[in-house]
Amino acid sequence: KLQFLYFIETGSNIMAAETTSIKRHVLPTNVLPKHYNLKLDVNLEKFTFLGECRVDAEVNTATDEITVNAAELTFFGAVVVQEGVEHKISAEDIKLSDEDERVSFKLPAALKQGPVTITYNYEGILNDQMKGFYRSKYTVEEDGKKVEKYMATTQFEAADARRALPCWDEPLHKATFDVVLVIPESLMALSNMQETSEEKTDTGKRMVTYATTPKMSTYLLAFAVGEFDYIESTIKTVHHSKNNRIRVYATKGTDVSVKGKLAMEVAEKCLPMYEKFFGVDYPLPKCDLIAIPDFASGAMENWGLITYRETCMLCDESSSTRSRVFVALVVAHELAHQWFGNLVTMEWWKELWLNESFATYMEFDFVNQLFPEWQVWTQFVAEDYNSALTLDSLQNSHPVEVDVCHAQEIDEIFDDISYAKGCSLMRMAIAWIGEESFQKAMVQYMADHAYGNATTVDLWNSLEKQSGMPVREVMADWTKVQGYPVLTAELTDSGDVEITQNRFLSARLPSEEEAKQVWNIPIVMGTDKGPVKHLLKEKVSTVKMPEGAKWMKLNLNQTSLCRVQYKGKLLENLAEACKKGEVSNVDRTGIVGDMSALTTAGLMSAVDFLKFVKYFEDEEDVAVWSAIESGVSEIMHMTRSSEEGMKLMHAYCIKLFNKISTKLGWEPAAGDDDRTKQLRGTVQGMLACCGDETALKTARERFEKVRNGDKTVLTADMRAGVYRAVVRFGGKAEWEAVKEMHETAEEAVEKVRCLRSMGSTKDIALLKESIDYAVSDKTRNQDSSSLLAAVSINVKGTDLFREYFTSKWDFLFKKLGTVLISRLVGSVGDSVDRKDADAIEAWWKTVDEIQRKTADRNVAQAVENIHLYANFVERDQEKVIAYLKQ
């Protein structure tokens, strides 16, 4: 999924703080569904579908009105039957509210308590917004020519099943589904369950009927119609030895037999592992994974028909390490949802974190078991964990458990708080109670809530019962309260370690009220004499240093959710231990990440950070170097308003990365593991992008060979950095070359790589062309944000992007849809000028109120981001320049 970094400054008045009480905009419960019979006749020429939806429902309280969710549907009529009495409702009597996305009608007489059947006849559109039931365009080669094709697919989470059928589109209202799809004879149709029958219609179409689904929420319903190839495997379930058919699908011509192999391998191995872990077999007879050419998010866990963006499911041996790791993680994530999310579902979007944090934990833990050589937990600390802490240091962050009142607000909370912070909390709890207790609790949780809904309290109860530890007491604040602590550690005169906790904010010290917050922190401290476990419950705690210990690293393996600031001798000793390799790579990564965050917040000077990372000149781990690159890039961003500062920072980076660059070289070496290949791409790309003469010369030479058809001179791990450097220090010819590569590339990953590189040019005219190209028909809507965000982060393009984005908001909102626009909006915060923050706040007030619901918090974060970097510039820029001049 696309991610952006956000930062903090006080004083933004865009969005008020979270309220303690919120009124949810939910459907009345006088009538609730039990079973849907859904028939859709799909027309891929007119991009429409005809629908008949018969709902077996239960009247809980007598009523003469029925209200359900619906959007972008045209109703022809409805029929209500109860106890043999039929009520026909004309199209004119069916009232559709576009704002509320509801459809309702009145009955001539009240329905009694008891069963009722409601049948709707309607027409819908196969939209191009990547939500609801939508169309996706792709090209295939037929008889030597490129031919344009369309498929239809679904994306119903969070609240878009209503665009395909009238329904109770809320996670609590589970029901079973019978689906019938009527499709052109030449196409294939898939749904959650296996086919049970097929027949020809009078119009020459095929009518495909599927088995009844388990009881599930509407957002998990799915269909796909098109021309597909697939690979297949059959495995046995662990507990009952039943056949489970796995298929990996892609559009024809994608070579899924090669590019779908890793996804298949992960599915074949993960499903049995999850069955053992949860104590219950995968409940469906088949599990399909399908790659979709146009897809707004990374993937979607539809029960039995999991949909993926192509970059998240397709790869091969020639793909970069990052791509292959990413595919394995995303596949494992969605498979974990088949239990945690599908079998047991959150009660309301307030508990979204239950779904996403747990699936995130499982993806990393089980991929780590399958591919230990990738060290994905170290990657988690370098990227996901750090991103979550960065976002949660904002005044306009939100608690892990955050309520929403309206469907338009849900997309905002699909962020690093719900995913990565939530996962970090699970990781902290597991490190505290133990993996055995955790696994037993999950078995109990699944047994207690299967085919139903659950809340955060239900999870804590299961963990507490199995571990015998006060989980609810310790963990409650972590989900309900925004933010996290910074632990300040220093040696006392007696040789003990005194630890003080405070709320960590990126731009100021906590207020008097905020300073009262004290977290219960289960924590492990690493020393050269072994680990020390503690539960920190006080504002100030004292910990004994093991006898003879030379150093202590708080938060071993970064399992607790906090930043750590070391004072005096503690920091000196720890730095020396890092230099000697006595501290693990995950902890070295964590230390650098903490230091960078402290620098951004002003708790450590930028000069001290630049001095500190020199201890790592002999470092050889890719995660540590990624953390260093990220920290140095933050300071580089801060100096962007000074041309002199940027040149000095580039020179600093060239010197810092030179030693590891010389050791790695450009050529792959025999015996290189995946992480070494990834490191080579990171290091050489960084040097070339900073203008190192040798690296840039090599990058240009190899780029020319790639353009001429010799792709062997650049491994996939090397391409992103090389493309960026060549475009950054090139002209129109290089930019045009990468644009042509984008248009001719067959792999989705390569296309995105080229787009991001196009945004790195220094030429203003080319940056304007980049913006136009991003929203042209040459770029998929799902990929537009990759190029636009690259233009924004470019010092030459920040103002261009912001002016374009704010002036073309209505166009972009319609083109990109709520999911993509809510993420891209954060890029308006790439400036370091406070005047831009004021302009954004003023502009946002002019935006339509309903549209603002999709991104209020993200815009507030963007404004804070600008103020934060302005603070950074005022505080540290001159000092950094003076230091670098020395």
Side-chain angles (χ1 to χ4, degrees):
K1 292 183 176 150
L2 302 176
Q3 295 191 11
F4 297 88
L5 297 180
Y6 304 114
F7 304 92
I8 183 170
E9 205 274 337
T10 61
S12 174
N13 58 15
I14 287 178
M15 188 184 70
E18 295 291 338
T19 56
T20 55
S21 178
I22 190 166
K23 185 177 181 180
R24 296 173 182 170
H25 189 68
V26 294
L27 290 169
T29 56
N30 52 3
V31 181
L32 291 176
K34 297 293 183 183
H35 178 74
Y36 294 85
N37 284 278
L38 178 66
K39 181 179 179 181
L40 299 177
D41 189 335
V42 181
N43 189 325
L44 269 169
E45 293 179 352
K46 295 181 179 179
F47 303 131
T48 60
F49 59 91
L50 292 174
E52 179 183 280
C53 181
R54 189 177 79 247
V55 188
D56 297 329
E58 187 75 18
V59 179
N60 299 312
T61 56
T63 181
D64 65 351
E65 185 174 16
I66 296 176
T67 301
V68 299
N69 291 117
E72 298 178 349
L73 301 178
T74 301
F75 288 89
F76 305 132
V79 178
V80 179
V81 179
Q82 187 178 54
E83 295 181 351
V85 178
E86 181 178 279
H87 302 285
K88 290 186 177 180
I89 313 298
S90 68
E92 292 76 18
D93 292 330
I94 297 175
K95 308 302 180 186
L96 183 64
S97 169
D98 292 334
E99 182 176 345
D100 292 336
E101 297 185 337
R102 292 180 176 183
V103 64
S104 61
F105 57 78
K106 288 272 192 178
L107 293 157
L111 296 170
K112 303 173 185 177
Q113 285 187 330
V116 65
T117 300
I118 312 151
T119 303
Y120 297 90
N121 289 284
Y122 59 97
E123 183 179 45
I125 58 171
L126 296 172
N127 67 72
D128 60 356
Q129 297 292 298
M130 294 178 284
K131 63 181 181 180
F133 197 12
Y134 71 92
R135 66 184 185 266
S136 175
K137 182 171 69 175
Y138 62 100
T139 57
V140 295
E141 191 165 307
E142 293 181 355
D143 300 324
K145 296 180 179 179
K146 295 284 186 180
V147 180
E148 196 173 86
K149 301 270 189 176
Y150 284 92
M151 64 166 291
T153 189
T154 55
Q155 173 58 41
F156 289 163
E157 190 181 31
D160 288 308
R162 63 192 67 180
R163 299 179 195 280
L165 67 152
C167 58
W168 286 256
D169 204 9
E170 297 165 8
L172 183 61
H173 302 315
K174 289 191 169 187
T176 54
F177 295 80
D178 279 328
V179 174
V180 176
L181 296 177
V182 182
I183 61 169
E185 190 173 13
S186 61
L187 301 184
M188 182 184 296
L190 307 172
S191 190
N192 303 80
M193 301 298 290
Q194 75 278 18
E195 292 181 26
T196 56
S197 68
E198 180 184 315
E199 58 185 274
K200 279 193 176 182
T201 68
D202 295 339
T203 59
K205 286 187 166 184
R206 290 168 51 230
M207 185 166 68
V208 185
T209 302
Y210 301 88
T212 305
T213 70
K215 190 178 177 183
M216 66 185 195
S217 303
T218 50
Y219 79 88
L220 296 171
L221 185 64
F223 350 106
V225 178
E227 297 180 42
F228 308 127
D229 289 326
Y230 64 88
I231 54 176
E232 180 177 330
S233 176
T234 301
I235 61 175
K236 294 285 187 182
T237 59
V238 168
H239 301 289
H240 295 95
S241 198
K242 292 182 178 179
N243 285 339
N244 180 10
R245 189 199 76 192
I246 305 171
R247 285 182 179 174
V248 175
Y249 289 87
T251 52
K252 277 190 177 294
T254 308
D255 197 10
V256 69
S257 62
V258 173
K259 295 179 181 176
K261 280 175 120 177
L262 179 59
M264 176 63 83
E265 179 186 355
V266 173
E268 287 176 323
K269 292 178 178 178
C270 266
L271 284 170
M273 292 168 74
Y274 288 158
E275 289 175 341
K276 290 178 184 176
F277 184 86
F278 292 118
V280 58
D281 285 339
Y282 176 73
L284 278 62
K286 61 96 171 175
C287 183
D288 293 337
L289 292 68
I290 182 169
I292 309 297
D294 295 290
F295 202 80
S297 297
M300 178 59 211
E301 64 267 23
N302 317 298
W303 217 353
L305 179 58
I306 308 170
T307 45
Y308 295 83
R309 188 182 283 210
E310 288 182 332
T311 54
C312 299
M313 199 194 85
L314 302 176
C315 65
D316 58 30
E317 288 301 316
S318 68
S319 300
S320 69
T321 300
R322 175 172 287 277
S323 291
R324 286 183 289 114
V325 172
F326 187 53
V327 165
L329 289 170
V330 177
V331 170
H333 180 103
E334 305 309 326
L335 290 172
H337 272 312
Q338 305 303 295
W339 286 265
F340 217 104
N342 298 7
L343 183 60
V344 179
T345 310
M346 64 205 166
E347 189 173 280
W348 177 244
W349 299 105
K350 176 183 178 181
E351 288 88 18
L352 173 69
W353 86 278
L354 282 179
N355 279 18
E356 299 305 343
S357 64
F358 191 88
T360 303
Y361 178 84
M362 295 296 282
E363 73 175 87
F364 279 94
D365 200 48
F366 280 73
V367 169
N368 192 54
Q369 294 178 45
L370 293 175
F371 306 100
E373 67 276 13
W374 286 342
Q375 297 188 38
V376 292
W377 276 123
T378 307
Q379 175 184 314
F380 174 84
V381 168
E383 298 174 4
D384 304 69
Y385 173 88
N386 205 50
S387 294
L389 291 183
T390 298
L391 180 54
D392 204 33
S393 68
L394 305 185
Q395 185 167 303
N396 278 312
S397 177
H398 63 84
V400 166
E401 192 175 63
V402 56
D403 214 341
V404 293
C405 70
H406 203 282
Q408 279 94 340
E409 300 169 1
I410 299 170
D411 286 337
E412 271 200 312
I413 61 172
F414 282 83
D415 62 6
D416 281 329
I417 302 298
S418 297
Y419 285 75
K421 182 182 178 182
C423 174
S424 299
L425 293 181
M426 296 298 298
R427 194 164 165 253
M428 179 169 70
I430 294 163
W432 177 43
I433 69 172
E435 292 186 2
E436 184 178 349
S437 293
F438 173 64
Q439 192 267 332
K440 288 179 179 178
M442 289 304 97
V443 171
Q444 177 195 333
Y445 181 85
M446 288 294 151
D448 290 347
H449 304 288
Y451 303 103
N453 300 79
T455 66
T456 299
V457 172
D458 296 321
L459 176 64
W460 295 155
N461 286 342
S462 294
L463 293 175
E464 187 161 303
K465 183 176 180 180
Q466 293 299 326
S467 67
M469 300 176 79
V471 175
R472 285 175 295 179
E473 176 191 344
V474 170
M475 298 303 296
D477 281 352
W478 287 103
T479 56
K480 296 181 182 299
V481 177
Q482 179 180 320
Y484 60 90
V486 55
L487 305 182
T488 303
E490 54 187 327
L491 285 172
T492 65
D493 293 339
S494 62
D496 297 333
V497 178
E498 185 177 270
I499 302 170
T500 304
Q501 60 166 286
N502 269 302
R503 166 85 182 271
F504 182 76
L505 292 168
S506 291
R508 61 176 174 83
L509 295 174
S511 67
E512 185 176 338
E513 189 63 30
E514 289 165 336
K516 294 177 183 177
Q517 172 70 35
V518 176
W519 282 265
N520 293 312
I521 311 171
I523 195 166
V524 181
M525 303 163 194
T527 75
D528 50 324
K529 297 298 181 180
V532 180
K533 280 190 175 184
H534 277 275
L535 178 61
L536 304 179
K537 302 178 72 172
E538 306 295 334
K539 185 76 173 175
V540 180
S541 305
T542 302
V543 175
K544 289 283 186 185
M545 197 72 155
E547 188 175 347
K550 297 177 182 176
W551 55 264
M552 173 179 281
K553 195 275 175 184
L554 274 70
N555 199 10
L556 187 67
N557 296 323
Q558 300 298 106
T559 52
S560 296
L561 204 76
C562 58
R563 295 293 189 188
V564 180
Q565 181 174 27
Y566 300 92
K567 295 284 191 176
K569 203 68 177 172
L570 270 181
L571 179 60
E572 293 175 23
N573 293 346
L574 188 57
E576 284 297 329
C578 287
K579 190 172 184 179
K580 294 175 182 177
E582 296 175 4
V583 179
S584 71
N585 62 341
V586 68
D587 281 319
R588 298 196 303 275
T589 302
I591 291 167
V592 174
D594 284 351
M595 295 295 185
S596 176
L598 295 169
T599 301
T600 305
L603 299 178
M604 176 180 182
S605 77
V607 170
D608 285 344
F609 178 81
L610 294 175
K611 291 177 179 178
F612 177 77
V613 294
K614 286 186 176 182
Y615 279 95
F616 296 87
E617 286 179 329
D618 294 320
E619 180 61 58
E620 296 182 2
D621 187 84
V622 63
V624 181
W625 275 112
S626 294
I628 293 170
E629 180 189 31
S630 177
V632 170
S633 295
E634 289 289 281
I635 298 175
M636 203 177 294
H637 188 82
M638 177 266 293
T639 63
R640 69 192 340 240
S641 59
S642 164
E643 189 172 337
E644 179 187 28
M646 287 288 282
K647 287 180 180 178
L648 288 167
M649 279 301 301
H650 285 156
Y652 170 88
C653 289
I654 290 169
K655 186 175 181 181
L656 180 66
F657 280 74
N658 183 64
K659 193 169 185 178
I660 186 66
S661 167
T662 302
K663 181 171 183 176
L664 291 170
W666 281 75
E667 294 293 340
D672 277 352
D673 60 21
D674 285 335
R675 300 182 84 246
T676 300
K677 296 172 188 175
Q678 193 175 355
L679 176 59
R680 182 178 290 109
T682 298
V683 169
Q684 303 300 6
M686 182 70 166
L687 284 174
C689 287
C690 285
D692 177 72
E693 290 183 6
T694 303
L696 188 55
K697 180 174 181 292
T698 306
R700 285 170 167 158
E701 291 170 352
R702 297 194 176 215
F703 177 77
E704 282 303 312
K705 291 180 180 179
V706 170
R707 279 186 64 194
N708 293 324
D710 182 9
K711 293 186 178 181
T712 62
V713 298
L714 273 184
T715 65
D717 291 288
M718 303 284 287
R719 288 176 196 160
V722 167
Y723 293 178
R724 284 199 308 271
V726 167
V727 172
R728 178 177 294 178
F729 293 100
K732 188 171 180 63
E734 287 78 10
W735 185 89
E736 288 283 357
V738 174
K739 184 179 80 166
E740 182 183 352
M741 290 165 65
H742 166 259
E743 293 173 5
T744 58
E746 295 182 357
E747 292 186 357
V749 172
E750 179 73 355
K751 284 182 175 293
V752 173
R753 195 180 283 138
C754 293
L755 287 173
R756 288 174 177 161
S757 302
M758 288 167 64
S760 64
T761 178
K762 296 179 181 180
D763 188 305
I764 298 296
L766 291 177
L767 285 170
K768 290 179 179 178
E769 283 194 53
S770 295
I771 291 174
D772 291 340
Y773 189 80
V775 296
S776 73
D777 59 4
K778 297 289 187 181
T779 304
R780 290 190 181 278
N781 286 355
Q782 68 179 17
D783 298 333
S784 296
S785 54
S786 295
L787 177 48
L788 292 172
V791 171
S792 180
I793 199 66
N794 183 336
V795 64
K796 299 289 186 180
T798 301
D799 292 343
L800 286 175
F801 168 79
R802 186 183 61 260
E803 290 163 8
Y804 177 85
F805 187 86
T806 54
S807 65
K808 299 291 186 181
W809 166 263
D810 288 334
F811 163 73
L812 290 170
F813 189 89
K814 183 178 180 181
K815 180 177 178 62
L816 300 182
T818 56
V819 173
L820 294 176
I821 201 76
S822 66
R823 293 169 185 166
L824 182 60
V825 74
S827 290
V828 298
D830 286 330
S831 170
V832 297
D833 189 334
R834 296 190 196 278
K835 289 184 293 185
D836 294 333
D838 296 338
I840 291 167
E841 286 190 299
W843 160 72
W844 191 240
K845 291 175 184 176
T846 69
V847 172
D848 177 79
E849 183 180 354
I850 293 177
Q851 292 179 353
R852 288 206 307 268
K853 289 180 180 178
T854 67
D856 250 344
R857 182 178 285 110
N858 294 349
V859 171
Q861 292 165 353
V863 169
E864 291 180 334
N865 189 10
I866 295 172
H867 285 300
L868 170 64
Y869 279 116
N871 291 347
F872 206 171
V873 169
E874 293 160 7
R875 184 180 63 238
D876 278 325
Q877 187 182 84
E878 289 185 7
K879 296 174 184 176
V880 166
I881 291 172
Y883 166 70
L884 294 176
K885 280 182 177 179
Q886 296 173 8

